[in-house]
Amino acid sequence: MAKDRSFAGKTAKVAKGGALTHAKTCPVCGELIVTYQHISLVPNAEKKSMRFNDRFVGVCKCNAHEIVG
């Protein structure tokens, strides 16, 4: 039997929680932890230039004001 690829089948999967099975929750505040890519500029003293430093950061209510702003 063929796999159901209709829009109704996709929304049913999301409604039952299929899309958020890998999500983590914060043990302190209980909110979902959302992963953002944090990009910052770092000065390079040797070449007198700037370079990008990027990293992935998990953000919830506890640390949102520190990372997002």
Side-chain angles (χ1 to χ4, degrees):
M1 185 168 170
K3 189 174 182 179
D4 184 20
R5 295 181 185 257
S6 66
F7 181 73
K10 292 177 184 178
T11 56
K13 179 182 176 184
V14 171
K16 79 174 181 184
L20 296 176
T21 55
H22 64 277
K24 296 180 185 176
T25 57
C26 178
V28 178
C29 66
E31 291 290 320
L32 288 176
I33 297 176
V34 181
T35 304
Y36 290 110
Q37 184 177 12
H38 184 259
I39 301 171
S40 59
L41 285 172
V42 179
N44 189 351
E46 296 173 0
K47 297 181 182 178
K48 296 182 182 176
S49 63
M50 303 293 279
R51 69 178 185 92
F52 292 107
N53 184 15
D54 61 337
R55 61 188 175 120
F56 289 95
V57 181
V59 178
C60 66
K61 276 187 178 178
C62 302
N63 62 354
H65 64 280
E66 298 170 1
I67 297 170
V68 178

